[in-house]
């Protein structure tokens, strides 16, 4: 009994020692804690100095607030039809005018922000998940998995984004879930490439060798060492891709294979406006501006983040 | 042998860089002269302003962020800083030409060697393309490129580092310049190649009767090829003299430090190499007084009050140190060669 | 050089096979029964089964894929569900219009994009640079079809300078608005890329060497910087053809341009999958071939690539 307990204790202490040794080696070889926090601190400092990026960030924050508080901000029911108020120009009652069915465009734009944000975040989230998993397999194990995954990535690169989305949506049929899937499926290749690249670039560095020599497992190395290093480019790319995803969703909705009526989506509103650009130009002006400003916000923020993380690129 | 007439005179040159973090005083009051047929060495650590000095002479400082804010650069009495763009173009590569540090990046990767060499010739000589081609062949032969006919149409990436530097030298001497500025010409090369390149430059200097300014951090190079030497620290000249004097009687603590940190054949084996403690200062917001004082073992109170002017300790030997005369006089007592543990 | 071209051609074969496989799977998992779609409601089960047998869709997927591939390589894209005509003949009818429009757009993209980028780079931080930077940033975020609508209203409706839509008599007046619209995003990308590659090229050591030789600024920029800066831009123009193809669907829809893009749009509305997928295959095929051409031009511009024997997989 006594000896058993002792053994157990010994094993535990052995494991702990190993852990400590790995931690120590990590800190020693890369001064990890210091360098990483200072990387983010420096990046934030640079980001704060970049006026355009801060402008982008405020647009993004504003958009999130609008989407969250849509019921409080909207002045009308976004899908309620008022027959006698059809095609009214902007006025006191309807700030941005009404559409053919007499729905309030302002309220539809407010609610439309929800669709755009959902698509942007969820679709890009799917892309990131697929991309990181495949990129990790590809970069870490190399050889055959690498070749196969990278060839598939080539195919996805060869596929023009909007064309691919159109083909998938035609087959899957319209609807917001299908938009998540279509855009998410198409965007993974760039994330896989980035992650694979960061893995390859640091795979053979001394501190990884050291961690491996000290018995750290593959998953531990990926999660503790490689992921934090690849985090910056991924966040930059993801931010920019949210903008792209929103534009693609709007295009799909415009073509009638995206969000289905009566749900308010900016692209859909534009396609409804197409037939009335001569009599009701306000129908197209405001949703278009909404898309433009939203995408601009994400693009500026993404550009700013890129410059902040890698000042050399500027 | 160097003549006595000055071909180039630099007076109180100041080149600053205006960055987000502040003004970098890369070169801050450098004065020197160059005589005909002379080889002048400029020595210093990375960031001491020696390369910026060289680039300033041909006004190659990227602007912005850089700017030559003060000083004169007189070539045979004509101030280069007053030239207009046209005059400057006729002057660069013609009267003064330059060889750069990294031959890997200083040749354009997308044009052939021949194209880039002929371009240098045709920029200053009104001859036909065919003549320029002939001339290029001669130049390549002079710098020792084998198999010239084939090499002429090769791209830079097909050459080794040493071969590329030979091409750079051929380009530099294409128009028989009066002065050749070599900015660390061998730093990026293998040790075995370094000697060949330096020897080649030395030979060509004799042949073309030009003066050379060689910028380096290698005191060995200076000892072997230079007639005079200027030591720079933090954008300022700290010691300027003939080579022999500086090697045998260094009169600035920084120069003394440099001498100690190299191996010498005439040194006894038990003497240990001694590095200079600390690191070079940032060139933004330099403190009042002597910049070297924080790393200096001879520093006195006065050093933190004002910057020492260049002092002539013996004819033609200048040192920017308050204790230069002491160092010169009490040299034997200091006994710097025998470093104590 | 010949070796390089052969190698590149061999490399795209798996990409083409992958793309067709992907598209075929999409076509195969289409939830609707094409036979039902063709015969409309009220068809007898026997008639449906007959038609399925005739179309071969009752056979296992690999047989169908093999038939599809065979058809594809012999230039047969299948039969439209709606029109009972071969997809080939439908696309062939509309193809010339799309090619002409795309050609006009590429010319605009190259001339304006490269010129704006160079001006922006050599006059960095000047008013021109600011103007180019602002307008390209906004253009990247604008939905193409919305820009088209704005141009229609402004130049067609309000000012009456140009025809609002259609191919008309095919004179240049009809091209201007759709071509500008189609080129907009790509032009912005080219200008931005040109600016950054030009700035990058100008920061190289060989530029200092060129100045030190005594060359004029015109020659340094026009020769030494230009060739290096153009290499990535040529690649971008090639890669960007994909978004041009995607943009064609939207632009042609807005301007009622009788090209493949609008044909695909109409087929989407009619759920005519073979036309959608066939059109997409053609667009992707063109995209891949253009990429190949771009790669060859790239190798011609950059001697370092030409001599590289094996492409490193990093």
């Amino acid at each position: 009994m006594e000896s058993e307990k002792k053994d157990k204790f010994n094993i535990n202490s052995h494991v702990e020692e190993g852990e400590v040794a790995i931690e120590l080696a990590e800190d020693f070889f890369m001064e990890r804690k210091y360098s990483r926090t200072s990387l983010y601190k420096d990046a934030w400092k640079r980001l704060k100095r970049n006026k355009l990026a801060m402008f982008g960030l405020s647009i993004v924050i504003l958009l999130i607030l609008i989407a969250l508080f849509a019921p409080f901000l909207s002045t009308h029911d976004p899908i309620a039809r008022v027959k006698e108020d059809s095609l009214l120009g902007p006025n006191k009652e309807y700030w941005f005018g009404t559409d053919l069915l007499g729905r309030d465009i302002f309220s539809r734009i407010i609610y439309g922000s929800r669709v755009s944000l959902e698509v942007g975040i969820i679709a890009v989230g799917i892309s990131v998940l697929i991309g990181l998993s495949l990129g990790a397999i590809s970069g870490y194990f190399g050889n055959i998995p690498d070749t196969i995954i990278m060839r598939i990535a080539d195919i996805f690169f060869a596929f023009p984004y909007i064309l691919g989305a159109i083909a998938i949506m035609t087959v899957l049929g319209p609807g917001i879930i299908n938009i998540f899937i279509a855009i998410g499926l198409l965007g993974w290749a760039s994330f896989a490439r980035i992650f694979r690249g960061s893995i390859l670039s640091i795979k053979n560095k001394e501190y990884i060798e050291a961690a491996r020599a000290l018995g750290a497992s593959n998953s531990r190395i990926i999660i503790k060492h490689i992921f934090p290093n690849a985090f910056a480019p991924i966040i930059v790319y993801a931010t920019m891709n949210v903008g792209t995803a929103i534009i693609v969703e709007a295009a799909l909705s415009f073509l009638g294979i995206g969000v289905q009526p009566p749900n308010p989506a900016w692209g859909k509103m534009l396609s409804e406006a197409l037939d009335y650009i001569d009599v009701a130009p306000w129908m197209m002006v405001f949703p278009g501006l909404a898309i433009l400003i939203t995408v601009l916000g994400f693009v500026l923020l993404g550009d700013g983040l890129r410059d902040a993380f890698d000042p050399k690129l500027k | 042998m160097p003549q006595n007439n000055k071909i180039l005179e630099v007076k109180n040159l100041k080149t600053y860089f205006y960055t987000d973090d502040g003004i970098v005083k890369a070169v801050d009051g450098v004065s020197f002269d160059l005589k005909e047929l002379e080889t002048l060495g400029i020595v210093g650590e990375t960031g001491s302003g020696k390369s910026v000095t060289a680039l300033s002479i041909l006004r190659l400082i990227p602007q912005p962020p850089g700017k030559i804010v003060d000083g004169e650069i007189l070539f045979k009495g004509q101030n280069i800083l007053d030239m207009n763009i046209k005059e400057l173009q006729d002057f660069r590569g013609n009267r003064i030409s330059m060889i750069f540090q990294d031959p890997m990046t200083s040749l354009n990767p997308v044009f052939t060697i021949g194209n880039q060499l002929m371009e240098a010739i045709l920029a200053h000589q009104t001859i036909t393309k065919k003549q320029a081609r002939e001339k290029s062949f001669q130049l390549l032969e002079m710098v020792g490129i084998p198999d010239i006919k084939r090499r002429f149409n090769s791209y830079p990436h097909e050459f080794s580092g040493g071969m590329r530097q030979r091409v750079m030298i051929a380009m530099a001497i294409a128009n028989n310049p009066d002065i050749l500025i070599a900015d660390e010409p061998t730093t990026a090369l293998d040790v075995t190649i370094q000697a060949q390149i330096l020897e080649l430059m030395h030979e060509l200097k004799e042949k073309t009767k030009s003066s050379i300014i060689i910028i380096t951090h290698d005191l060995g190079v200076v000892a072997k090829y230079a007639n005079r030497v200027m030591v720079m620290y933090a954008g300022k000249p700290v010691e300027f003299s003939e080579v022999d004097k500086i090697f045998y009687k260094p009169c600035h603590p920084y120069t003394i430090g440099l001498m100690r940190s190299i191996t010498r054949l005439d040194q006894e084996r038990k003497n240990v190499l001694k590095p200079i403690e600390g690191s070079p200062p940032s060139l933004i917001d330099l403190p009042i007084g002597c910049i070297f004082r924080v790393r200096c073992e001879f520093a006195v109170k006065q050093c933190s009050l004002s910057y020492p002017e260049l002092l002539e300790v013996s004819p033609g030997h200048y040192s920017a140190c308050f204790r230069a005369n002491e160092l010169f006089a009490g040299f034997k007592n200091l006994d710097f060669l025998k470093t104590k543990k | 050089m010949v070796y390089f071209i052969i190698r590149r051609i061999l490399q795209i074969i798996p990409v083409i096979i992958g793309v067709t496989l992907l598209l075929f799977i999409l076509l195969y998992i289409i939830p609707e029964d094409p036979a039902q779609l063709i015969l409309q409601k009220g068809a007898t089960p026997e008639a449906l089964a007959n038609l399925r047998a005739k179309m071969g869709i009752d056979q296992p997927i690999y047989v169908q894929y093999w038939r599809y591939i065979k058809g594809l390589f012999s230039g047969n894209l299948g039969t439209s569900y709606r029109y009972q005509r071969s997809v080939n003949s439908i696309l062939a009818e509309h193809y010339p219009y799309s090619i002409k429009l795309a050609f006009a757009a590429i010319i605009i993209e190259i001339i304006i994009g490269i010129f704006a980028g160079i001006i922006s780079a050599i006059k960095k931080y000047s008013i021109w640079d600011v103007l180019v930077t602002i307008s390209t940033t906004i253009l990247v975020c604008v939905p193409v079809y919305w820009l088209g609508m704005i141009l229609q209203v402004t130049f067609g409706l309000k000012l009456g300078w140009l025809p609002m839509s259609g191919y008309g008599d095919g004179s240049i007046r009809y091209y201007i608005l759709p071509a500008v619209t189609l080129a907009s995003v790509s032009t912005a990308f080219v200008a931005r890329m040109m600016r950054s590659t030009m700035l990058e090229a100008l920061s190289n050591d060989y530029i200092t060497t060129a100045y030190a030789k005594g060359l004029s600024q015109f020659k340094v920029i026009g020769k030494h910087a230009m060739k290096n800066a153009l290499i990535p831009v040529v690649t971008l123009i090639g890669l960007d053809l994909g978004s041009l193809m995607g943009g064609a669907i939207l632009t042609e829809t807005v301007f009622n341009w009788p090209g493949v893009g609008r044909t695909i749009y109409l087929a989407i509305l009619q759920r005519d999958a073979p036309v959608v997928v066939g059109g997409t295959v053609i667009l992707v095929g063109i995209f891949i071939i253009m990429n190949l051409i771009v790669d060859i031009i790239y190798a011609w511009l950059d001697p370092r690539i030409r001599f590289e024997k094996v492409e490193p997989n990093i």
Side-chain angles (χ1 to χ4, degrees), chain B residues 10-268:
Chain B
V10 174
K11 290 180 183 166
N12 193 33
L13 178 70
K14 291 186 180 178
T15 306
Y16 294 172
F17 288 86
Y18 297 84
T19 69
D20 288 347
D21 302 314
I23 301 172
V24 178
K25 298 181 176 177
V27 172
D28 197 16
V30 168
S31 303
F32 65 90
D33 58 76
L34 179 72
K35 292 170 185 155
E36 268 181 41
L37 300 181
E38 182 186 36
T39 299
L40 173 75
I42 300 182
V43 180
E45 290 165 295
T46 310
S48 62
K50 51 194 196 312
S51 290
V52 177
T53 306
L55 290 171
S56 299
I57 293 173
L58 278 182
R59 284 174 53 192
L60 289 170
I61 299 294
Q63 183 182 356
K67 200 179 177 209
I68 299 174
V69 291
D70 197 11
E72 284 184 342
I73 301 170
L74 302 172
F75 174 78
K76 291 183 175 170
Q78 191 192 6
N79 191 351
I80 297 174
L81 299 183
D82 289 340
M83 286 182 180
N84 64 32
I85 290 293
K86 188 77 191 67
E87 290 169 324
L88 195 62
Q89 275 168 25
D90 289 342
F91 183 77
R92 287 170 174 165
N94 193 13
R95 306 294 14 113
I96 300 184
S97 58
M98 234 177 134
I99 299 165
F100 295 94
Q101 185 179 125
D102 190 352
M104 302 289 167
T105 55
S106 11
L107 287 165
N108 194 329
V110 299
F111 294 104
T112 61
I113 297 296
N115 182 321
Q116 296 183 58
L117 188 51
M118 276 170 62
E119 180 184 64
I121 298 167
L122 290 169
H124 300 289
Q125 300 174 27
T126 37
I127 52 174
T128 64
K129 277 202 166 178
K130 208 180 157 205
Q131 287 169 314
R133 206 178 139 90
E134 291 294 314
K135 176 104 208 247
S136 313
F137 284 174
Q138 289 169 15
L139 286 166
L140 289 174
E141 199 180 328
M142 270 172 90
V143 297
I145 303 268
D147 195 8
I148 293 168
K149 285 235 163 65
R150 194 171 63 82
R151 288 307 205 167
F152 188 78
N153 290 318
S154 301
Y155 287 91
H157 70 268
E158 299 169 75
F159 279 60
S160 69
M163 283 296 155
R164 282 187 232 193
Q165 200 60 304
R166 283 172 194 268
V167 173
M168 285 297 289
I169 292 172
M171 260 161 50
I173 60 168
N175 300 301
N176 296 317
D178 298 312
I179 303 174
L180 201 62
I181 301 174
D183 183 2
E184 306 215 25
T186 57
T187 309
L189 303 176
D190 288 347
V191 183
T192 46
I193 310 293
Q194 287 183 1
Q196 291 175 14
I197 294 290
L198 288 166
E199 211 48 58
L200 174 70
M201 283 178 56
H202 193 65
E203 269 172 38
L204 289 172
K205 178 201 152 188
E206 300 293 312
K207 259 190 224 167
T208 58
K209 307 241 175 293
S210 53
S211 313
I212 290 184
I213 297 177
I214 184 160
I215 290 158
T216 179
H217 55 250
D218 187 341
L219 286 170
V221 171
V222 169
K224 189 157 181 210
Y225 297 101
N227 305 109
R228 286 191 298 162
V229 59
M230 175 167 77
V231 181
M232 284 185 71
Y233 185 77
K236 289 183 161 68
V238 293
E239 192 162 4
F240 186 35
S241 168
E242 275 154 35
V243 164
D244 297 350
K245 288 184 185 168
I246 257 187
F247 271 85
Y248 293 106
K249 281 190 177 179
C251 290
H252 191 281
Y254 177 64
T255 320
I256 294 173
L258 282 182
M259 301 289 172
R260 272 186 199 155
S261 60
I262 55 169
T263 41
R264 293 171 65 126
L265 286 176
D266 56 359
Q267 218 171 293
E268 288 171 56

Side-chain angles (χ1 to χ4, degrees), chain A residues 231-308:
Chain A
F231 188 69
I234 287 168
I235 207 82
V236 170
Y237 233 81
T239 312
M240 292 178 171
N241 263 26
V242 171
T244 314
I246 290 173
I247 272 217
V248 172
E249 177 274 320
L252 292 174
S253 298
F254 177 80
L255 290 174
I257 43 177
V259 176
Q260 288 303 287
N263 287 336
W266 296 338
K268 186 78 202 148
M269 292 169 76
L270 283 177
S271 79
E272 288 160 1
L274 188 55
D275 294 332
Y276 304 96
I277 47 173
D278 40 354
V279 290
W282 58 87
M283 276 178 73
M284 69 159 200
V285 170
F286 297 108
L289 279 178
I291 300 174
L292 170 60
I293 292 170
T294 304
V295 177
L296 192 65
F298 282 102
V299 167
L300 290 179
L301 180 61
D303 278 353
L305 284 171
R306 185 196 56 204
D307 294 343

